[in-house]
Amino acid sequence: MRVMRRRTNPGSPPDFERLVAGMVRLRRLGYGAAAGIAFIGTLGTRDPVWMFVTLLAIAGFLAGTGIRTPDRRLMAGLATDHIVALSLWWMVGPSSVVDLLPIIIISLSAFILPPRTSIPTIAIGLVIVAARIPLHVAGTESIFPMYWSDQAGLTSEVVVAAVALVVLAIASAAVFLSVGRLIERSHLRLSDSEHRYRTLVEASPDAILIHQGGALKFVNEAAATMLGYRVPHAALGMAYLDHVSPEDRASEIERMHQVADGQTTELAEVRLIRTDRSLHTVEAVGIPSEFNSEPAVQVVLRDVTARQALSDTQRLLEAAFDSSASGMAVVDLQGNYQRVNQAQCDLFGHSVEEFLTMNWRDLTDPVDMEASEKAVAQILRDDTEDSFSISKSYTHADGSLVSAHTTVTLVRDSKGEPALLYSHTIDLTTAAAAEEALRASELRYRNLFERIPVAMYRSTPEGEVLDANPALVDLMGFEERDPLLGLATHDIYVDPLARAQWKSEISQNGTVLGFESQMRRKDGSTFWSSDSARIVRDVDGSILY
């Protein structure tokens, strides 16, 4: 797999700085030696050539001084090296255009050719430069055009040329060996970085895919599962837009154009078509990427189906709460009303605003206060009991007494700690009203049970399924509800130990929250589920389901 990688300076900054510092020391060593030799020659012969070579060597020694940025110091050193090389070659004295080729080769190699190619090219150029010396020695003319006369000393000229070649060789070798080591090290770092990035992408819980020219080039495990493929490579080559619902294709094509222009798209909801033709709602973001060194689109997907189901469930519960014919209320642990429905207001003669300033104790008849306090304290203290029912009298806003039956349920947070109290109150002023309210409540419960998109069921303590809603029937792969009824729940657990752990937890705590386990469908396929359950008891404390 080849995925997008960021283009950065080779190596990490500390390594790069150390490498440039080492190159500077090597250059100063070479130029310092050359300057010393040339200065001695200047003092001994007072020849302008020696003086010029001394100045060149000093310039090379000082190149990059005062520049703090490593890459600029490197460029300053390279530029100075080539100016020195050109100057020395001019002193050697080219007599034709052909004589300029070696120095052109040396100069261009540093900036155009890759290191493995430029190093032998530089070596060839230096050999050609060195070959000029014996040619001039064998002739009668001077090596230096400014001293084309028989009076110049050939020995000193050869020494100067040799020193120039040595300086040029040391500087070039130091620069290009350092650059070569730097590039080799950066390749190793890039390979390690790419391996880590590849591992991270493949193991990511978010779905990640790359498409190029509209065809899928890479999908990780999460993306393959999301699209309905058993293995990632089965999706390769498939058209990405074939997995986008027709309603969302136009907007997705527009987002692809944004990525092609180098922009990262905003997070947006997209409906994907799985291989089984079912729709899956996801949040997607498109990122400019590369695949095999060609532009591509990387898409990161996050499943929001469960979140939407939870939102739908919350809306249904809120609708059931508000429209219930029975009084419904949410109370904090201190007894203050946090939310009430209209039936609660009608039952006791207070407005919603008034209720939000009241405590349940304000409505309770003093005769029933002690029993009510004990019942509430019991469920807050006892981890095995989360609800109680009580028939008592309430004080109406007009001062009259209202006889009602209230069921209070404790709601716990994600850590299992008490959070809120949920009350359901039925007016018992007349038996007929109570029975009608009970039937209406049961009907609303049945409607909620049937319509909720979350799988729900009731079972005996032994695990026999008593009732199941359509969401569970569909999840387990059954055509209808009846074959599922009577099924032993322990048969759908892939790991029998998981079922035993679930039973142990609910026996000890009376509830199970977010228990994750692997289940088996009717056709034998498996899936992971998060299970929450609680024990429901009768008035005698016996388990009903």
Side-chain angles (χ1 to χ4, degrees):
M1 179 191 76
R2 298 190 65 179
V3 296
M4 183 187 75
R5 52 178 179 265
R6 298 180 182 274
R7 299 182 183 273
T8 60
N9 288 332
S12 62
D15 288 344
F16 185 68
E17 291 176 3
R18 286 194 293 269
L19 187 58
V20 172
M23 182 207 72
V24 170
R25 285 193 292 268
L26 285 174
R27 292 180 68 261
R28 287 183 174 178
L29 178 63
Y31 279 114
I37 295 173
F39 183 70
I40 293 173
T42 301
L43 294 177
T45 64
R46 300 189 181 277
D47 193 319
V49 173
W50 286 104
M51 185 178 298
F52 188 74
V53 171
T54 303
L55 293 176
L56 289 177
I58 293 174
F61 182 87
L62 297 177
T65 301
I67 300 176
R68 296 183 178 181
T69 308
D71 53 354
R72 292 186 178 180
R73 292 181 70 186
L74 178 63
M75 292 305 299
L78 285 172
T80 306
D81 292 341
H82 288 83
I83 291 173
V84 170
L86 287 168
S87 300
L88 291 173
W89 182 255
W90 174 79
M91 288 193 302
V92 170
S95 57
S96 66
V97 176
V98 177
D99 291 330
L100 289 173
L101 289 179
I103 197 60
I104 294 174
I105 293 173
I106 293 173
S107 299
L108 295 182
S109 297
F111 300 101
I112 298 177
L113 299 177
R116 293 184 179 179
T117 307
S118 62
I119 291 175
T121 306
I122 291 169
I124 294 173
L126 293 174
V127 169
I128 296 175
V129 172
R132 286 182 52 83
I133 296 175
L135 292 177
H136 283 285
V137 171
T140 57
E141 66 176 5
S142 171
I143 296 174
F144 306 100
M146 66 188 69
Y147 292 103
W148 280 354
S149 67
D150 295 334
Q151 299 176 358
L154 189 59
T155 302
S156 62
E157 296 169 0
V158 172
V159 170
V160 173
V163 170
L165 290 174
V166 169
V167 172
L168 182 61
I170 291 176
S172 299
V175 170
F176 288 100
L177 285 177
S178 299
V179 172
R181 288 173 57 194
L182 175 62
I183 292 177
E184 182 179 2
R185 190 177 303 172
S186 67
H187 278 305
L188 291 175
R189 291 182 179 276
L190 184 60
S191 177
D192 292 341
S193 175
E194 185 171 331
H195 176 72
R196 288 193 297 269
Y197 181 73
R198 175 178 176 176
T199 302
L200 178 64
V201 168
E202 291 180 343
S204 172
D206 287 333
I208 299 176
L209 59 86
I210 295 177
H211 61 86
Q212 188 179 64
L216 293 174
K217 298 298 184 180
F218 167 78
V219 295
N220 67 351
E221 289 282 353
T225 301
M226 180 179 289
L227 296 176
Y229 294 99
R230 290 185 177 272
V231 290
H233 66 76
L236 302 184
M238 303 299 293
Y240 168 67
L241 289 178
D242 287 349
H243 284 286
V244 178
S245 68
E247 295 82 2
D248 294 337
R249 283 176 188 166
S251 60
E252 192 64 10
I253 291 174
E254 182 179 349
R255 287 157 54 82
M256 290 167 62
H257 289 320
Q258 293 179 10
V259 176
D261 292 336
Q263 304 175 30
T264 297
T265 65
E266 295 183 356
L267 196 66
E269 284 195 0
V270 179
R271 285 165 292 182
L272 296 182
I273 304 174
R274 292 168 49 87
T275 54
D276 59 5
R277 311 310 298 170
S278 63
L279 287 178
H280 216 57
T281 303
V282 302
E283 287 180 338
V285 60
I287 305 170
S289 180
E290 289 183 1
F291 187 86
N292 290 338
S293 302
E294 294 294 332
V297 180
Q298 178 175 310
V299 184
V300 180
L301 307 167
R302 178 164 294 177
D303 189 358
V304 296
T305 304
R307 190 175 70 193
Q308 283 194 335
L310 182 62
S311 178
D312 293 341
T313 300
Q314 184 176 357
R315 285 195 293 269
L316 285 172
L317 291 174
E318 290 178 351
F321 181 95
D322 293 334
S323 62
S324 174
S326 302
M328 310 284 279
V330 177
V331 184
D332 64 21
L333 299 183
Q334 288 72 43
N336 301 311
Y337 286 101
Q338 302 296 309
R339 181 173 180 175
V340 295
N341 68 349
Q342 189 58 44
Q344 180 89 349
C345 296
D346 296 340
L347 181 59
F348 298 113
H350 294 281
S351 66
V352 173
E353 291 75 15
E354 290 173 336
F355 260 110
L356 297 182
T357 64
M358 298 174 68
N359 190 288
W360 64 265
R361 297 174 181 85
D362 299 332
L363 298 177
T364 300
D365 184 50
V367 175
D368 297 317
M369 185 66 71
E370 183 178 356
S372 299
E373 292 277 14
K374 287 183 178 179
V376 172
Q378 177 68 21
I379 63 170
L380 291 177
R381 183 175 59 249
D382 193 345
D383 291 339
T384 61
E385 297 292 339
D386 282 341
S387 66
F388 71 89
S389 296
I390 187 172
S391 296
K392 64 177 185 177
S393 296
Y394 293 89
T395 302
H396 194 275
D398 60 10
S400 63
L401 292 180
V402 177
S403 179
H405 181 81
T406 299
T407 298
V408 178
T409 301
L410 176 64
V411 179
R412 298 182 181 273
D413 60 20
S414 59
K415 298 179 180 179
E417 298 296 328
L420 294 169
L421 295 171
Y422 179 86
S423 70
H424 178 207
T425 303
I426 301 174
D427 186 4
L428 296 180
T429 304
T430 64
E435 291 177 1
E436 180 62 25
L438 182 60
R439 282 196 298 270
S441 179
E442 289 177 347
L443 179 60
R444 280 188 296 275
Y445 167 79
R446 173 52 60 177
N447 287 336
L448 178 62
F449 183 80
E450 295 290 334
R451 294 172 57 193
I452 195 168
V454 177
M456 300 180 68
Y457 69 97
R458 289 188 291 122
S459 68
T460 66
E462 292 73 30
E464 181 180 350
V465 177
L466 297 175
D467 197 4
N469 70 347
L472 181 66
V473 174
D474 183 60
L475 179 63
M476 297 306 299
F478 286 84
E479 300 288 335
E480 53 189 282
R481 187 198 314 262
D482 291 343
L484 187 57
L485 302 182
L487 181 69
T489 53
H490 59 75
D491 290 337
I492 66 176
Y493 281 81
V494 174
D495 184 3
L497 294 178
R499 170 63 180 175
Q501 183 181 353
W502 184 92
K503 289 184 64 177
S504 174
E505 186 172 333
I506 200 168
S507 297
Q508 293 177 6
N509 304 324
T511 60
V512 170
L513 294 174
F515 185 89
E516 294 187 356
S517 59
Q518 196 171 18
M519 300 288 190
R520 182 180 291 108
R521 294 188 179 91
K522 177 184 176 183
D523 61 3
S525 61
T526 61
F527 65 96
W528 283 92
S529 69
S530 178
D531 191 8
S532 297
R534 72 179 182 92
I535 294 175
V536 178
R537 303 176 186 270
D538 61 14
V539 292
D540 298 324
S542 300
I543 298 177
L544 292 176
Y545 50 86

